[in-house]
Amino acid sequence: MEGLKETSELQRWVLLASGKTKEIYEVEGNKDLVIMHNVDNISAWDWKRMEVWQNKAKYSTTITSNVFNHLNNSWIKTHFKEQLNDTDILVEKCEMIPLECVFRFVATGSYIKREKAMKWDNAIKDWTVLDS
């Protein structure tokens, strides 16, 4: 996918969807692929706190690529095709499963509304079905 590796080219891609930490762009000339672009944003407390952390997108992209490479190499098919650069991943276009998993040590955000506990000795997995 040479030619997609420059982040500056994002401006000519059509934005299909965006969220707190990612933007999804179409790939010109290929309706089956999209580019998942990580941004340096981080949010907390249901969007009440939004910050930009330098290099966060780079680390998120590397971790995501490593996880999906591991799954693909373990015969678990994913949408992942390749990491294009520090912030962009080429993936198959698919429908998102509206599910989020957050590992927590301290209760924050929407979790406080659902549960009473505020702190744990070990991380808990908090599964949430997303509204949209």
Side-chain angles (χ1 to χ4, degrees):
M1 303 263 48
E2 205 58 45
L4 295 176
K5 302 209 184 252
E6 291 299 322
T7 304
S8 61
E9 292 185 26
L10 281 174
Q11 294 171 350
R12 61 187 188 103
W13 298 336
V14 175
L15 180 66
L16 300 174
S18 65
K20 293 186 257 185
T21 61
K22 291 177 189 59
E23 298 169 343
I24 308 298
Y25 291 89
E26 74 177 9
V27 172
E28 188 175 339
N30 192 325
K31 62 181 173 67
D32 297 325
L33 298 174
V34 295
I35 293 173
M36 189 167 63
H37 173 70
N38 283 295
V39 295
D40 285 334
N41 295 344
I42 190 151
S43 70
W45 298 289
D46 294 329
W47 291 73
K48 289 181 181 73
R49 180 176 174 191
M50 183 69 86
E51 294 181 9
V52 174
W53 287 6
Q54 187 175 0
N55 293 319
K56 184 253 176 202
K58 176 182 174 180
Y59 298 126
S60 292
T61 302
T62 301
I63 291 167
T64 299
S65 296
N66 288 339
V67 168
F68 283 123
N69 268 320
H70 178 73
L71 291 170
N72 285 336
N73 292 333
S74 299
W75 300 285
I76 300 171
K77 185 174 171 19
T78 72
H79 67 321
F80 179 81
K81 291 298 186 188
E82 67 176 302
Q83 182 173 339
L84 299 173
N85 55 43
D86 283 349
T87 59
D88 300 323
I89 298 172
L90 183 67
V91 297
E92 292 177 19
K93 188 174 186 178
C94 56
E95 193 172 322
M96 185 183 98
I97 299 170
L99 187 63
E100 177 181 44
C101 181
V102 177
F103 288 83
R104 300 180 186 270
F105 285 97
V106 177
T108 60
S110 60
Y111 193 85
I112 293 173
K113 296 174 189 171
R114 297 190 313 271
E115 304 292 337
K116 301 271 186 223
M118 297 298 287
K119 191 170 183 179
W120 306 274
D121 292 331
N122 297 306
I124 63 157
K125 287 179 262 178
D126 179 18
W127 293 93
T128 306
V129 176
L130 303 173
D131 293 334
S132 56

